[in-house]
Amino acid sequence: MIESIKEFWYLYLLIAVLIVVTVFVWKKAIAASSKRSKQFNENLAKAKRAKDLREAYSDMTAEIIEKAPAADLFEGIAVKLEYTCQKTEDTNGFYESMTNGEKNVYALYYLITDAAEGNLSKFFKSSYRPLTSDAVAAAKEIFDEKTYSIINMMFRCYDENNEEYSVIPHEIDRLNGEYRDATANTDLFAAGGKYIKNNPNEFLK
């Protein structure tokens, strides 16, 4: 046996390497599968929550607006509007038919969710007017002055109609950081819900 190992040492080394590689690949496959499963479960939970909120706020009344938790109220109305818009053939027409309050909630919801990880620029890179300009207008009405100012500056950097500003990487990074700091301890959904409670008629059709 020892003589065999000495003579064919390279074959035993190759087998050992193959075993190590196989175990490594196997562990990576398990990790990837676990990650996919976790993502699937998270997406499933999000979809269920969106459905539950959409149904809970499908028929708005003054009493519902008054008694609902602010954050749930904002998210519920937003996902209801989003769902209806996606199911409508004329999405632009549907958007234009919204009240000013509904536009504020719809646009701000997209901004908040796109920037959920602190990258405010993600929203403005992937969206266009009137959604972006309406989100800025909503931020002015709903958020504090500092947060609005940051959002407005980021909008200017990406706005195709603004020739005075452009996308400068270090400036974008700075604004993303300022947005993260400004909103770190703020429940943005609750701020949106408070706006709804202060303007109920905008949501009672």
Side-chain angles (χ1 to χ4, degrees), residues 46 48-58 60 64-81 105 109 112 187-197 203:
K46 287 179 181 178
K48 184 179 184 305
R49 175 173 171 77
K51 180 177 181 293
D52 291 343
L53 286 171
R54 189 172 69 243
E55 292 175 351
Y57 298 103
S58 59
M60 297 304 301
I64 289 175
I65 292 176
E66 181 183 356
K67 293 183 178 181
D72 286 355
L73 179 64
F74 175 81
E75 188 178 3
I77 290 179
V79 296
K80 180 185 72 171
L81 291 170
V105 168
Y109 174 76
I112 294 171
D187 187 335
L188 301 178
F189 279 13
K194 183 178 178 181
Y195 166 78
I196 295 170
K197 289 176 179 290
F203 305 91

Side-chain angles (χ1 to χ4, degrees), residues 9 11 13 42 48 50 61 70 75 95 100 114 117 124 147 150 155 188 198:
W9 63 269
L11 291 177
L13 178 61
E42 287 176 351
K48 184 179 184 305
T61 65
E75 188 178 3
Y95 184 78
N100 182 65
D114 277 358
E117 297 180 356
F124 290 104
T147 303
I150 296 167
F155 167 63
L188 301 178
N198 290 336

Side-chain angles (χ1 to χ4, degrees), residues 121-150:
S121 57
K122 180 181 177 181
F123 170 72
F124 290 104
K125 282 193 293 187
S126 59
S127 304
Y128 302 93
R129 286 174 175 266
L131 191 65
T132 52
S133 55
D134 286 348
V136 174
K140 187 174 184 179
E141 283 198 55
I142 298 172
F143 293 157
D144 61 85
E145 181 62 30
K146 182 179 180 181
T147 303
Y148 158 70
S149 179
I150 296 167

Side-chain angles (χ1 to χ4, degrees), residues 1-17:
M1 180 66 178
I2 295 176
E3 292 299 321
S4 175
I5 293 174
K6 287 181 178 180
E7 184 177 357
F8 300 104
W9 63 269
Y10 53 91
L11 291 177
Y12 287 97
L13 178 61
L14 178 60
I15 291 171
V17 171

Side-chain angles (χ1 to χ4, degrees), residues 171-188:
E171 181 70 4
I172 300 302
D173 290 342
R174 180 183 68 81
L175 290 171
N176 277 330
E178 290 185 1
Y179 177 80
R180 284 193 292 271
D181 292 341
T183 60
N185 299 313
T186 303
D187 187 335
L188 301 178

